[in-house]
Amino acid sequence: MTIKTKKTVLITGGAGFIGSYLCELLLDKGFKVICMDNLITGSLSNISHLLKRSNFEFIEHDVSKFIGIQERVHYILHFASPASPVDYLKFPIQTLKVGSLGTHNVLGVAKANKAKFILASTSEVYGDPLIHPQPETYWGNVNPVGPRGVYDEAKRFAEAITMAYHRVHKIDTKIVRIFNTYGPKMRKDDGRAIPNFISQAIKNSPITIYGEGLQTRSFCYITDLVSGIYKLMLTKIHDPVNLGNPKEMTILELAKEVIRLTKSKSKIVHKALPQDDPKTRQPDIARAKRLLNWKPNVSLRSGLLQAIKSFKKEGLR
Ligand code: UDP
C-alpha cells in the first residue's frame, strides 16, 4: 500500500543496518523520512544514497538526550541501539541509556505529536529460553547481571515503558521482537555470526565457532523483516509481535553452508563460548501469520548469496 497524503516518519537508528532499510522502504512508500542517529554503530554510508532525495533528512543526534523536533511527525520507528553482542559489550552504558532514557525521550515525542510509535525489541527479551520455539506469551529467562543483561534488560524496560505510555497516555504503540536478521549492509566487523563467517570465508581464514557450535539460531533476510515491520506499523496491534524466520539450524551448520556457498578453503576453529550465549532460538511466528498475514519468503541460501555478493563487492572498494 502506498500512502497518498505525505506523512512524516521519524526513524531513530536510521543509519543502522535495519534502520537504513526502513528509511528507504518508507521513502519509496511516499513518506517524508527524518533519520536520527548518533552514528556510534550506524554509518552514513548506509544512507548516503538517500541524502539526495527531497523527502529525506538526516539529523545526527543521540536520542538518550532531549530530542527537539520542530515539525509534526506522524509515525516514529524507534530503532536506535547497539544490537550486536560485540557492540553492546563495547557500549554497555550507552545500550542501557538508549533503551531506557532514549525510549522515554522518543515516547515523549510520540506523545507530543500523537504519533504512532513502533519499538524495535528483540528475541533477547527471551534470554536463554526454556520454552521452544518462543511465542510472545513467554516471559523469558534473562540474567540481569550478566554481560548480555545490558541489552536484554534495556529492551525489556523499553517494552515496559512503551506499554505504560500506551495504557496511561493512550499512545498507539507497537512492539516488534526481532529475531536474528542478516543481509547486505551489515557491518563486516559487527561481530555477529553471519558477517564474521562471510568475511572469514572470503579471505579463506579460519571460521571462528564459539563453543561446539551446537547452539541454534534462525536467520531472517532483511527484506522479509522490513516488510513485516511495515505491515505492523499500519495495524492497531499493541501486544508484541515476533518477526523472524523459523528455519532453525546450528551455528556449525551455518558455518558449513557459508563455506559451501563461498567455495572457501577456510577451516573451522573453535573459540570460547561467550557467557550466557542462548543455547536455542527459534521464533514462533503464528501471531504474525495470523494478524499480519506475514511470513518470510527468502531462503537462507538465496539470502546468504546476496550477502556474500555484497560483502565481496564492498571488499573490492
Ligand atoms: N558465533 C560464533 N562465531 C562467531 C560469531 C558468533 O560461533 O564468529 C555464535 C554466537 O556465539 C552465537 C551465534 O553464533 O551462539 C549467533 O551469534 P550472533 O552474534 O550472530 O548473535 P546472537 O544471536 O548471539 O545475538
Side-chain angles (χ1 to χ4, degrees):
M1 197 200 333
T2 305
I3 300 292
K4 290 205 180 62
T5 5
K6 202 186 289 169
K7 301 265 184 192
T8 299
V9 52
L10 167 66
I11 307 182
T12 76
F17 167 51
I18 298 176
S20 61
Y21 277 87
L22 287 168
C23 287
E24 186 159 358
L25 176 75
L26 290 168
L27 281 171
D28 292 346
K29 297 278 183 193
F31 287 85
K32 165 158 191 212
V33 173
I34 303 173
C35 165
M36 188 171 278
D37 205 299
N38 67 353
L39 301 176
I40 67 165
T41 58
S43 167
L44 280 181
S45 64
N46 286 337
I47 50 163
S48 52
H49 63 301
L50 305 176
L51 289 170
K52 56 184 174 309
R53 291 177 69 162
S54 58
N55 285 333
F56 185 73
E57 185 185 346
F58 172 69
I59 301 174
E60 185 171 343
H61 181 69
D62 178 353
V63 297
S64 300
K65 304 202 173 90
F66 177 80
I67 303 166
I69 289 267
Q70 303 309 325
E71 65 186 284
R72 168 92 208 275
V73 296
H74 304 88
Y75 290 87
I76 303 179
L77 274 60
H78 179 36
F79 278 66
S81 177
S84 122
V86 167
D87 286 343
Y88 52 73
L89 297 185
K90 191 164 152 205
F91 301 111
I93 295 173
Q94 291 93 329
T95 302
L96 281 159
K97 282 173 78 175
V98 73
S100 54
L101 307 177
T103 305
H104 184 216
N105 287 337
V106 180
L107 280 163
V109 178
K111 180 170 165 247
N113 283 272
K114 295 190 174 52
K116 296 174 196 305
F117 175 89
I118 296 104
L119 171 70
S121 187
T122 167
S123 54
E124 282 281 331
V125 299
Y126 304 121
D128 190 3
L130 304 176
I131 302 268
H132 195 74
Q134 294 80 55
E136 291 86 347
T137 46
Y138 178 46
W139 292 352
N141 177 39
V142 169
N143 174 4
V145 294
R148 295 175 90 100
V150 298
Y151 184 61
D152 303 9
E153 296 296 7
K155 288 294 187 183
R156 289 167 69 97
F157 174 89
E159 289 199 5
I161 193 170
T162 297
M163 289 310 290
Y165 265 68
H166 169 64
R167 293 190 182 110
V168 176
H169 296 306
K170 313 290 175 225
I171 310 292
D172 182 359
T173 61
K174 299 120 211 324
I175 296 173
V176 52
R177 290 188 180 149
I178 301 170
F179 283 65
N180 294 65
T181 300
Y182 70 100
K185 296 213 277 188
M186 278 184 110
R187 253 177 39 230
K188 283 184 226 61
D189 63 350
D190 95 347
R192 282 185 273 204
I194 289 187
N196 272 7
F197 293 171
I198 295 180
S199 311
Q200 292 161 347
I202 291 173
K203 289 184 277 179
N204 291 313
S205 39
I207 306 273
T208 54
I209 298 258
Y210 302 158
E212 296 291 302
L214 300 180
Q215 66 273 36
T216 67
R217 294 293 187 275
S218 312
F219 296 96
C220 185
Y221 191 65
I222 182 69
T223 53
D224 278 339
L225 179 85
V226 294
S227 77
I229 294 170
Y230 183 62
K231 283 190 160 195
L232 179 64
M233 177 181 148
L234 302 178
T235 66
K236 290 252 174 263
I237 302 166
H238 307 301
D239 287 330
V241 178
N242 288 340
L243 290 182
N245 191 320
K247 189 177 172 348
E248 186 183 6
M249 75 202 64
T250 67
I251 292 303
L252 195 56
E253 284 167 341
L254 171 72
K256 288 181 177 164
E257 180 71 352
V258 171
I259 292 174
R260 255 193 309 275
L261 295 177
T262 49
K263 301 188 176 62
S264 172
K265 296 187 180 52
S266 291
K267 296 273 174 286
I268 285 172
V269 295
H270 291 270
K271 299 222 163 177
L273 187 66
Q275 189 189 329
D276 298 333
D277 197 287
K279 285 180 270 311
T280 56
R281 182 179 292 157
Q282 188 203 120
D284 177 334
I285 59 165
R287 188 177 284 181
K289 276 186 175 158
R290 183 165 44 86
L291 299 178
L292 304 178
N293 190 26
W294 175 88
K295 65 172 177 51
N297 294 314
V298 180
S299 69
L300 184 74
R301 185 189 150 80
S302 109
L304 281 178
L305 285 171
Q306 298 278 351
I308 291 165
K309 196 165 121 194
S310 89
F311 270 53
K312 280 187 175 160
K313 201 166 134 203
E314 280 169 27
L316 295 176
R317 273 192 208 137

